[in-house]
Amino acid sequence: MRSRLWCFAVVAVAALPMSHAFAADTARPLFAGKQITITVGQPSGGGADVYARLVQRHLPRHLPGQPAIVVQNMPGAGSLKSVTWLDGTAPADGTAMTIFNPELLDEAVTAPDRVNVDFRRFNWIGNVSEDIRVCFIATASGIADWQALRARSRPLFWGATATGTAGDADGAMLRQLFGIRIMPVQGYAGAADKRLALARHEIDGDCGGWTTIPPDWLRDRKVNIVVRLSPSLAPGMDARIPFAGDLVRNPRERALYDF
């Protein structure tokens, strides 16, 4: 997905026949008098949290019985905690949903010892938005573009949440495919905390969705976009920003990147 468009927030519901999940009883609508809980695998203030609350605002009128919807943040282990909750203790009656880091889908295949979840057991509602993923660095670092980043000899501190998250995978690609000297700083709860860390000069850069970068950072040139991880260009994005997939020359490494 990274070589195309990035799924910003994937919404899943505990497994049950979809014909039952959203069927309306003629006598009493299915969700009448019920409450739906959407757990967010990231802390409040980040992109996933914003999207969950957007869903909360508009989804009830599209469901039979127009149920109340509450949003509950359940961060932990790169959003794996919320997925484990949905797979285990959450009610399997359509009243429990979660929004989580889609990188877990890859890890369920490549690292099943860490992400021991069978996502085929879930029913998929959809993704709220698609975003173009980019890597950016503080202008104060003195790095203006991809060439300067490649030439940097001293390590750069990169924001990270947990092993296996999207940002962690992005940093690993920059290190292993392009030789960028990055030192990941683990433990940030989510994108909002990483933005604060960059503003405080605790870290030098990060990767994330184009639409999650504060507009004033772009307007005032507080950060430089050095590479995009998706081939598409967003409106207003500098066409000179290279696409990382085009920079991978080795066929095997390009296959890894595309995956």
Side-chain angles (χ1 to χ4, degrees):
M1 292 294 293
R2 185 176 292 104
S3 66
R4 298 179 178 87
L5 291 176
W6 180 254
C7 284
F8 202 98
V10 180
V11 187
V13 62
L16 74 164
M18 292 301 287
S19 59
H20 170 74
F22 298 107
D25 190 309
T26 55
R28 179 176 173 81
L30 179 63
F31 292 110
K34 295 183 179 180
Q35 176 177 287
I36 291 177
T37 300
I38 302 178
T39 62
V40 184
Q42 287 90 2
S44 60
D49 182 62
V50 171
Y51 279 124
R53 297 180 191 281
L54 185 66
V55 172
Q56 176 192 33
R57 181 182 302 173
H58 296 284
L59 183 60
R61 68 174 180 269
H62 298 286
L63 297 178
Q66 298 186 353
I69 296 181
V70 297
V71 174
Q72 177 183 354
N73 294 89
M74 193 180 290
S79 80
L80 181 59
K81 182 178 179 181
S82 67
V83 171
T84 303
W85 170 81
L86 186 70
D87 196 35
T89 59
D93 59 359
T95 62
M97 303 180 188
T98 189
I99 292 180
F100 63 93
N101 190 322
E103 194 72 24
L104 293 181
L105 298 171
D106 291 346
E107 281 220 290
V109 177
T110 61
D113 54 330
R114 194 186 89 82
V115 182
N116 186 20
V117 178
D118 184 356
F119 284 104
R120 293 171 299 181
R121 288 172 39 83
F122 292 5
N123 286 323
W124 300 93
I125 306 305
N127 64 310
V128 180
S129 179
E130 293 180 334
D131 206 352
I132 295 172
R133 201 158 179 85
V134 297
C135 295
F136 52 91
I137 193 163
T139 304
S141 68
I143 295 175
D145 52 29
W146 176 252
Q147 289 73 24
L149 181 63
R150 291 291 303 270
R152 171 85 174 216
S153 58
R154 290 186 291 110
L156 293 161
F157 294 103
W158 220 250
T161 301
T163 301
T165 58
D168 182 63
D170 295 338
M173 286 196 305
L174 292 178
R175 291 193 307 273
Q176 297 176 26
L177 296 182
F178 303 108
I180 308 297
R181 301 195 66 187
I182 288 175
M183 294 185 63
V185 181
Q186 301 280 2
Y188 290 105
D193 282 359
K194 289 193 289 182
R195 288 198 296 267
L196 285 174
L198 194 144
R200 294 168 178 166
H201 306 293
E202 296 173 7
I203 59 176
D204 297 301
D206 192 18
C207 298
W210 169 257
T211 62
T212 68
I213 301 174
D216 63 297
W217 285 13
L218 300 172
R219 182 192 66 230
D220 301 336
R221 299 298 300 271
K222 294 181 179 180
V223 296
N224 292 319
I225 311 298
V226 292
V227 68
R228 50 192 167 92
L229 304 180
S230 307
S232 304
L233 280 169
M237 184 183 289
D238 190 340
R240 294 171 296 179
I241 299 171
F243 166 48
D246 292 338
L247 304 174
V248 181
R249 303 303 180 189
N250 181 289
R252 179 179 180 275
E253 291 181 347
R254 178 59 192 261
L256 288 172
Y257 179 88
D258 288 343
F259 175 78

